[in-house]
Amino acid sequence: MSGGGVGSIITPALFDQMLKNRNDAKCQGKGFYTYNAFIDASNAFDGFGTVGDTDTRKREIAAFLAHTSHETAGKWETAPNDQYSWGYCSLQEQGNNQVDYCIASTDFPCTSATTTMAQLEKPLGLTFSPTQI
């Protein structure tokens, strides 16, 4: 069973409510993470948040947002409402910026392309070569 797009689950109001601090002046990523960009990115990945019943689709989208929000949270100890309520505040993963995200193997060697791709994937916290997907 297939449902509508991600926008049928995550409305602009819900997006704003869940990520309410993302446009705060204290955030490096202020203005970067928009609802329209989220929907456009979601639509670029066939099947993301669109396959299965409504509960399954909600779980997939919630897991994605929880993970990416955690990785981009402001995470300063004196943050209002706790340090993890500031998801989508940073433009890159926090606390782990020097990690090499490519794990070479015989089947999937690291290349400059995987290194470049890994830089784009840092906010997602992925720890494997993009060619393994």
Side-chain angles (χ1 to χ4, degrees):
M1 174 190 292
S2 233
V6 171
S8 68
I9 300 287
I10 306 295
T11 64
L14 181 57
F15 187 80
D16 288 342
Q17 178 186 357
M18 289 188 306
L19 303 169
K20 62 184 172 194
N21 294 318
R22 76 184 191 289
N23 288 322
D24 189 278
K26 296 176 194 82
C27 289
Q28 169 192 31
K30 180 182 178 190
F32 182 78
Y33 298 106
T34 67
Y35 175 77
N36 288 337
F38 170 68
I39 296 301
D40 289 346
S42 298
N43 290 337
F45 292 91
D46 189 37
F48 173 71
T50 61
V51 177
D53 62 24
T54 301
D55 286 342
T56 299
R57 295 172 53 223
K58 285 179 179 180
R59 280 191 295 274
E60 179 180 15
I61 297 165
F64 172 82
L65 288 170
H67 182 75
T68 55
S69 181
H70 170 76
E71 296 295 345
T72 59
K75 294 184 186 173
W76 68 94
E77 291 192 24
T78 58
N81 302 317
D82 96 42
Q83 59 183 325
Y84 295 104
S85 67
W86 289 76
Y88 286 64
C89 190
S90 300
L91 292 175
Q92 62 187 33
E93 178 183 8
Q94 296 300 290
N96 221 9
N97 296 330
Q98 301 304 315
V99 174
D100 181 358
Y101 281 87
C102 186
I103 300 170
S105 72
T106 306
D107 294 327
F108 304 104
C110 295
T111 67
S112 61
T114 57
T115 302
T116 300
M117 185 62 146
Q119 295 298 317
L120 299 173
E121 294 167 342
K122 278 187 178 184
L124 300 179
L126 299 177
T127 57
F128 53 85
S129 170
T131 57
Q132 291 174 284
I133 299 174

